[in-house]
Amino acid sequence: MPLYTGMRTAFDQIGLLPRQLWTNRVLDEARETADPICLVRLFGIHPRIAVKYVQTAHPDKALPRIR
């Protein structure tokens, strides 16, 4: 069985898409660190996206806007 087919079967069995798993991983890291720069370095995402993850994980904390 090719790796892709096996991975696809595993994701189908748990009812998740790979993108959902990745998103959950980034959000979990945002909850732990509350540091958008850490998310940028770790996941290679744009700073604005990193700030959105941190704001979602910590709605009680106001972060300055990145321009």
Side-chain angles (χ1 to χ4, degrees):
M1 174 186 298
L3 179 62
Y4 176 78
T5 304
M7 298 255 325
R8 187 72 217 160
T9 301
F11 278 106
D12 287 343
Q13 288 176 351
I14 61 172
L16 280 176
L17 296 173
R19 184 70 177 173
Q20 291 170 308
L21 186 62
W22 186 85
T23 299
N24 287 343
R25 174 67 185 97
V26 177
L27 188 56
D28 184 58
E29 191 67 31
R31 284 186 193 108
E32 289 296 317
T33 65
D35 180 6
I37 301 302
C38 178
L39 299 179
V40 169
R41 290 180 178 159
L42 188 61
F43 297 104
I45 58 179
H46 191 276
R48 287 188 182 143
I49 300 299
V51 168
K52 287 182 182 183
Y53 272 106
V54 171
Q55 287 174 338
T56 299
H58 300 280
D60 55 318
K61 296 179 182 178
L63 297 172
R65 292 185 60 158
I66 296 176
R67 294 178 189 220

